């Protein structure tokens, strides 16, 4: 297990404007048992106690504050920011600067959640030295609690170097979007005996290198169950069945922000439709003189 250290500001001095929503109730059970912050040992203890870990992506301060107030245990500043927020077709163009800016914003909106920032494509593949430099920059400039990177055995040296520096690392196996060109697009990984064995070896390598948790994306449910059983560290699934120690969704899929959502996601709201309607209502009011009203104007 990687050690975790105290993260100073901005987490300890969150932005006043966005933390005003954090007073609402949190859903039980609380994997941190009322501790002020969720920390790496709480994730490990949750696995040992069979308590499910919750994770959502977040890319900005106000959304992070809402999810934190809802009691989400871990927020992932995913490089999915590329597709969901920055208008890219894939995660590949996302830069370390993009991740640092988003990571800082998310950390500033959070009081309790464990914040994980993705290392983007091109920021760690060259080797341990590059990976450590990228991870150190993320930790210094964002106030996050951990970084995440993709790959199993091929990324073990990088994970080892980062964890030895005292930075918790979350691994990412199965469908790894930064390799989408090599994998042939979003496809289930680990089907068949050889592929399952390969993925299992990768999971062991990630754990042995010191990762504190591993995301399993688009992995057959029974393979997730096997990996979750033999790993000591928590698994967090996305399209990986029910057996993982936790579940993560991209928040825009979870909240129904667009018409499309992947088969493995559940839409818990229709925020896209609600937002479009709110914008249409505003436009109609402006055009018909319904907004602004007298109470929105200032006296001389
Ligand atoms: O970037 C991301 O959102 C992710 C999740 C899909 C796990 O890596």
């Amino acid at each position: 297990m990687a050690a975790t250290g105290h993260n100073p500001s901005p987490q300890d001095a969150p932005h006043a404007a966005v933390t005003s929503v954090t007073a609402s109730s949190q859903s039980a059970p609380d994997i941190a048992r009322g501790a002020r912050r969720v920390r790496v040992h709480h994730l490990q203890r949750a696995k040992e106690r069979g308590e499910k870990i919750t994770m959502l992506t977040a890319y900005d301060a106000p959304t992070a504050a809402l999810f934190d107030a809802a009691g989400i245990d871990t927020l992932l500043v995913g490089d999915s920011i590329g597709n969901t927020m920055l208008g890219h077709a894939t995660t590949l163009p996302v830069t370390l600067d993009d991740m640092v800016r988003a990571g800082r914003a998310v950390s500033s909106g959070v009081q309790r959640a464990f914040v994980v920032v993705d290392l983007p494509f091109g920021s760690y593949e060259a080797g341990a030295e590059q990976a450590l430099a990228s991870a150190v920059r993320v930790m210094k400039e964002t106030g996050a609690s951990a970084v995440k990177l993709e790959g199993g055995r091929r990324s073990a040296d990088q994970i080892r170097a980062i964890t030895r520096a005292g930075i918790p690392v979350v691994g990412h196996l199965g469908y790894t979007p930064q390799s989408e060109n090599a994998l042939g697009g979003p496809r289930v990984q680990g089907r068949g005996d050889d592929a399952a064995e390969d993925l299992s070896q990768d999971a062991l390598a990630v754990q042995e290198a010191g990762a504190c948790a591993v995301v399993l994306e688009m992995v057959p449910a029974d393979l997730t169950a096997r990996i979750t059983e033999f790993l000591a560290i928590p698994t967090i699934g996305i399209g990986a069945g029910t057996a993982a120690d936790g579940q993560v969704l991209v928040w825009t899929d979870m909240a129904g922000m667009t018409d499309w959502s992947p088969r493995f996601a559940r839409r818990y709201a229709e925020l896209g439709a609600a937002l479009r309607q709110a914008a249409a209502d505003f436009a109609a009011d402006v055009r018909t003189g319904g907004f602004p009203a007298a109470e929105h104007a200032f006296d001389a």
Side-chain angles (χ1 to χ4, degrees), residues 55 57 59 76-81 91 118 148 150 172 177 215 217 238 248 250:
M55 176 185 269
T57 65
Y59 314 107
L76 171 63
V77 187
D79 61 352
S80 53
I81 192 173
T91 61
D118 257 340
K148 175 168 86 57
E150 297 182 0
H172 186 158
V215 168
E217 179 166 357
I238 175 164
V248 54
V250 171

Side-chain angles (χ1 to χ4, degrees), residues 153-177:
R153 283 161 289 182
R154 72 176 168 92
S155 298
D157 286 347
Q158 287 89 328
I159 295 172
R160 199 169 291 112
I162 298 169
T163 55
R164 278 187 181 154
I167 301 170
V169 176
V170 176
H172 186 158
L173 298 172
Y175 176 63
T176 44

Side-chain angles (χ1 to χ4, degrees), residues 25-44:
S25 65
Q26 293 176 0
S27 52
D30 177 359
I31 67 161
R33 293 286 188 281
R36 202 170 68 84
R37 295 201 65 90
V38 177
R39 293 189 178 274
V40 71
H41 61 275
H42 295 130
L43 307 182
Q44 184 60 39

